[in-house]
Amino acid sequence: MKRLLLILTILFSTFSFSQDAIILSQENANEKGITPIWPKCDRSRLGPANCFDQKLRNHIIQNFEYPDAALNDGLSGTVTVEFIINNKGKVEVLEVTGAHRYLQREAIRIIRAIPKMQPGKWGNKPIAIAYTVPITFRKPQ
């Protein structure tokens, strides 16, 4: 049933919008093998989708900085960032929810620092792929 719903959704999206406006979710992109390719992931033994996931995790960890204002106020929580890798391979943040605005700003900064990459493709056409990433901020002890 899920597969049928997915196929109908993709078909409906294809007929409802021009191909430039198609945005697939990460899950659908990984199924179809059209995920964006993080720099140097095209040579990875993990494959583009697994390499992308690993590089994204590493990027978040390496660029993570607990905001001073959040530390001073004792803030913690989980921020969820919805973003796309657009058809030019650049990140666009769509929505940020959860926790305090200081933590939201840091999550946005981390996501916007994602490097430009090869965009996902539908056939030979580049398309946008949507991602949702939770980032948990825990006050250092």
Side-chain angles (χ1 to χ4, degrees):
M1 184 67 179
K2 282 185 178 180
R3 209 172 265 281
L4 177 61
L5 184 58
L6 172 65
I7 292 170
L8 289 174
T9 302
I10 290 173
L11 287 175
F12 181 76
S13 297
T14 305
F15 294 126
S16 298
F17 306 102
S18 70
Q19 277 195 320
D20 292 336
I22 293 175
I23 299 176
L24 292 177
S25 70
Q26 173 188 10
E27 183 179 288
N28 297 342
N30 289 347
E31 278 182 19
K32 300 291 182 187
I34 55 173
T35 188
I37 299 176
W38 197 285
K40 299 183 182 172
C41 275
D42 55 343
R43 297 184 282 269
S44 173
R45 288 182 282 154
L46 296 173
N50 290 333
C51 184
F52 181 96
D53 291 345
Q54 183 181 32
K55 294 280 190 176
L56 180 59
R57 274 189 208 94
N58 291 342
H59 171 81
I60 291 169
I61 291 167
Q62 290 171 356
N63 290 284
F64 185 88
E65 293 176 18
Y66 215 100
D68 289 335
L71 270 175
N72 295 338
D73 292 348
L75 302 173
S76 61
T78 300
V79 175
T80 302
V81 182
E82 294 180 38
F83 66 97
I84 62 171
I85 306 295
N86 69 19
N87 61 0
K88 296 187 183 346
K90 293 184 179 181
V91 172
E92 293 179 25
V93 175
L94 301 176
E95 185 175 1
V96 182
T97 57
H100 192 274
R101 70 173 185 252
Y102 295 146
L103 303 177
Q104 289 179 356
R105 286 183 197 149
E106 177 59 13
I108 291 168
R109 185 194 66 77
I110 292 168
I111 296 302
R112 284 188 175 155
I114 292 173
K116 184 176 179 187
M117 59 191 72
Q118 293 177 32
K121 295 201 174 184
W122 184 271
N124 290 330
K125 281 213 154 235
I127 61 167
I129 306 290
Y131 293 88
T132 302
V133 175
I135 300 175
T136 300
F137 292 81
R138 289 196 188 120
K139 214 172 49 170
Q141 300 290 329

